[in-house]
Amino acid sequence: MTEQTLFTYPEGWNELLAALDFLPEEQRNGFLQGLLQTLLF
Amino acid sequence: MSDPASLMRERVQLYKDAARHKKTSRVLNVANMWNWIVYDSGYKLSEALFDYGKMEDALFKFQEKYQFDYYNDYGIRNPLRVQSALGHTDYIVNDEANALNIQDINYMEPEDYDDILENYFKFLWTKYMPRKYPQANSSESKAMMLNACQEFAQFGQYVGNINQQFVVKYGVPPALGFGTPAFVVFYEILFNFIRGIRGLSIDIRQRPEKVKAVCDALRTVSIGPGPTFAAFKAASQHGTDMNRGPDLFMVFLGHTILSKKQFEVYYWPYLKEVFDFTEQYDKILHIFAEGENSRLYDFYKEAPKGHVVIHLEMDDMFRAKKELGDTVCLCGGMPVDLLYHGTRQENIDYAKRLIDELAADGGFMFSQNKMVSYPNDCKAENLKAVNDFVRGYTL
């Protein structure tokens, strides 16, 4: 049995967005996209 | 003129004038200085890369010693803390050699081109992330991602703060590379971060239509966090920003494996869009073009005059001036080999020749010809002598 991870879409993506409660809701998607762009480096 | 606010105004104006091919009173000195800054500070690379306070201290001491006018980067290029929160980074830090090494990567299979076309961020989330960060692909993924989010927020604070501090303390405008809206054509994302050199080299021969399709779809995107070029353009107003040097920045690296014909397919249509934007909106674009570029000069000549600065890394600058100087403002020229192996006087003589021959009628910014990274790229006494000379040499 594989472990449950967050890297599913849109379920895991939305789960992480919901957890970013230190940000206003309308900023969370852009924040997460910016993180992914940074993690490319 | 020595207070930071006056220096800031002077440096911004000199940048605009040089880019516009106006004759200037002196030549700007652009720091193409990277990990050598850390080496010169006495910190270990691993210390500075993981401690923003130490990186900031190294940068401040460096500026106080060498007094550059602009920087390509303020220790932002390698956000290792953010990546390390997920248990992996592609970089190998070698403190003894003051080296940051990276091997060719590949986090993509040929069939993934269709997934990128369908939804790029979905591809990154569901395929790229588990492959690159296997430790985070576990029951710990949520905790690790939240930790990475905190690190990303701190990184964002460092980026904003270091750019602002250079303005306030030294009158040095925001970094050209990572303090300015920065973009790459999507081919570069494939080359550098997703498919890798080997994988992409195979794909442009075996499945060129797939590569072209994603390049056409994604076109030009931000380096690091930020909007796509299309979104940036949509939010832009006419006129150049007098609070910074260039209005936007691009870096070329993957072009080094492309023939002229391949460049025309995978690069040029998107670069042309940016060129056209700079003319239409009266903006200035600064390009950092790594490697040797002369086979691509026919494309670079298409730049709108007065709107594009190109930092040529390994090119013969005197030839470049003859072939491109009528349209493009050139940046670069000072050989790192000379900065390490030459005498103080040989360095000053070469710097004088560069300025006399390349800047006499405007359109030139002085800089090092390669990313100064390793201890053997430069000697402190030579760099100090060259910078003192360039700062005081009037045209």
Side-chain angles (χ1 to χ4, degrees):
Chain A
M1 186 176 145
T2 54
E3 291 180 289
Q4 280 292 313
T5 86
L6 208 57
F7 299 122
T8 58
Y9 192 92
E11 299 81 8
W13 178 272
N14 288 334
E15 186 181 339
L16 187 59
L17 289 185
L20 300 179
D21 51 11
F22 59 94
L23 286 171
E25 245 176 81
E26 66 273 15
Q27 291 179 17
R28 294 179 192 177
N29 200 61
F31 179 88
L32 190 47
Q33 288 186 353
L35 172 61
L36 290 190
Q37 289 171 304
T38 302
L39 289 169
L40 285 171
F41 276 71
Chain B
M1 186 186 288
S2 58
D3 67 284
S6 300
L7 278 169
M8 172 77 181
R9 281 194 298 276
E10 185 208 18
R11 284 167 169 149
V12 169
Q13 192 61 56
L14 282 170
Y15 187 96
K16 307 294 184 188
D17 288 346
R20 302 294 195 202
H21 293 251
K22 291 181 186 169
K23 191 170 164 132
T24 54
S25 56
R26 71 177 180 90
V27 168
L28 284 175
N29 192 355
V30 175
N32 192 17
M33 310 297 296
W34 300 76
N35 291 336
W36 197 87
I37 293 173
V38 177
Y39 168 74
D40 193 53
S41 75
Y43 286 121
K44 289 179 186 171
L45 204 47
S46 59
E47 290 178 313
L49 287 169
F50 285 91
D51 185 330
Y52 296 133
K54 286 178 179 165
M55 181 62 84
E56 183 182 275
D57 185 51
L59 283 157
F60 288 169
K61 285 178 177 157
F62 189 81
Q63 175 58 16
E64 285 158 20
K65 190 171 173 186
Y66 299 106
Q67 298 180 53
F68 278 96
D69 293 307
Y70 280 85
Y71 283 74
N72 275 340
D73 178 47
Y74 293 138
I76 298 165
R77 168 61 181 81
N78 302 106
L80 297 193
R81 278 180 51 160
V82 184
Q83 299 154 352
S84 298
L86 296 177
H88 174 76
T89 168
D90 289 325
Y91 293 95
I92 303 157
V93 182
N94 181 340
D95 279 330
E96 280 187 27
N98 195 66
L100 196 56
N101 297 315
I102 189 167
Q103 296 179 321
D104 191 22
I105 53 83
N106 186 5
Y107 298 115
M108 177 184 166
E109 300 299 327
E111 56 270 24
D112 293 334
Y113 281 104
D114 290 335
D115 290 339
I116 293 175
L117 275 176
E118 182 207 333
N119 184 331
Y120 174 47
F121 283 102
K122 180 182 174 187
F123 160 78
L124 290 179
W125 186 248
T126 60
K127 293 199 167 177
Y128 178 86
M129 291 293 290
R131 290 170 186 163
K132 181 169 180 180
Y133 300 102
Q135 285 186 45
N137 188 30
S138 67
S139 58
E140 299 300 310
S141 60
K142 188 171 180 180
M144 292 180 83
M145 281 303 299
L146 284 171
N147 190 24
C149 287
Q150 295 293 342
E151 284 291 346
F152 178 53
Q154 287 183 41
F155 173 68
Q157 287 175 354
Y158 170 75
V159 172
N161 187 54
I162 194 72
N163 277 289
Q164 182 63 16
Q165 287 287 308
F166 263 79
V167 172
V168 172
K169 282 170 72 84
Y170 306 115
V172 176
L176 300 173
F178 297 96
T180 301
F183 302 95
V184 285
V185 298
F186 193 73
Y187 165 88
E188 290 283 1
I189 297 288
L190 293 170
F191 177 89
N192 286 287
F193 307 124
I194 296 181
R195 188 66 170 129
I197 300 169
R198 184 172 181 275
L200 189 56
S201 298
I202 292 168
D203 291 348
I204 60 178
R205 288 161 180 82
Q206 293 189 356
R207 50 193 70 83
E209 72 291 347
K210 295 283 186 188
V211 180
K212 180 64 176 166
V214 297
C215 289
D216 273 347
L218 277 300
R219 308 191 86 75
T220 301
V221 298
S222 173
I223 312 171
T228 62
F229 169 69
F232 172 79
K233 179 181 172 183
S236 291
Q237 297 190 336
H238 190 272
T240 191
D241 183 349
M242 293 307 289
N243 293 305
R244 58 176 75 254
D247 298 288
L248 64 166
F249 175 89
M250 292 182 82
V251 60
F252 297 1
L253 177 59
H255 70 308
T256 49
I257 67 160
L258 294 179
S259 67
K260 196 172 173 181
K261 198 176 245 184
Q262 290 165 333
F263 186 89
E264 189 165 20
V265 174
Y266 300 110
Y267 227 104
W268 174 239
Y270 325 111
L271 178 61
K272 176 76 164 55
E273 287 178 344
V274 181
F275 280 176
D276 290 345
F277 163 76
T278 63
E279 187 169 33
Q280 188 183 351
Y281 284 73
D282 192 26
K283 301 292 187 187
I284 298 174
L285 164 68
H286 191 105
I287 296 171
F288 182 48
E290 297 190 48
E292 207 280 336
N293 292 265
S294 58
R295 75 194 181 287
L296 304 173
Y297 285 173
D298 284 344
F299 299 103
Y300 298 174
K301 282 178 193 169
E302 296 292 313
K305 182 170 183 175
H307 295 278
V308 178
V309 180
I310 303 185
H311 189 150
L312 294 167
E313 196 182 40
M314 297 297 291
D315 296 48
D316 176 341
M317 294 297 282
F318 303 103
R319 175 185 167 192
K321 180 71 175 177
K322 283 183 192 142
E323 296 196 27
L324 297 175
D326 285 345
T327 52
V328 170
C329 172
L330 298 175
C331 179
M334 190 67 205
V336 299
D337 284 350
L338 193 60
L339 280 169
Y340 185 74
H341 293 289
T343 65
R344 182 180 173 282
Q345 193 56 48
E346 284 169 343
N347 274 276
I348 291 171
D349 290 346
Y350 197 85
K352 182 175 185 303
R353 183 185 166 209
L354 281 169
I355 295 172
D356 286 345
E357 295 189 28
L358 303 181
D361 55 352
F364 176 67
M365 299 176 192
F366 187 90
S367 189
Q368 302 74 44
N369 74 333
K370 285 200 289 190
M371 296 168 76
V372 180
S373 305
Y374 303 104
N376 289 2
D377 281 345
C378 184
K379 276 185 183 154
E381 59 268 30
N382 286 342
L383 184 65
K384 181 82 168 59
V386 166
N387 281 17
D388 287 347
F389 168 77
V390 173
R391 195 168 51 256
Y393 191 58
T394 52
L395 294 168

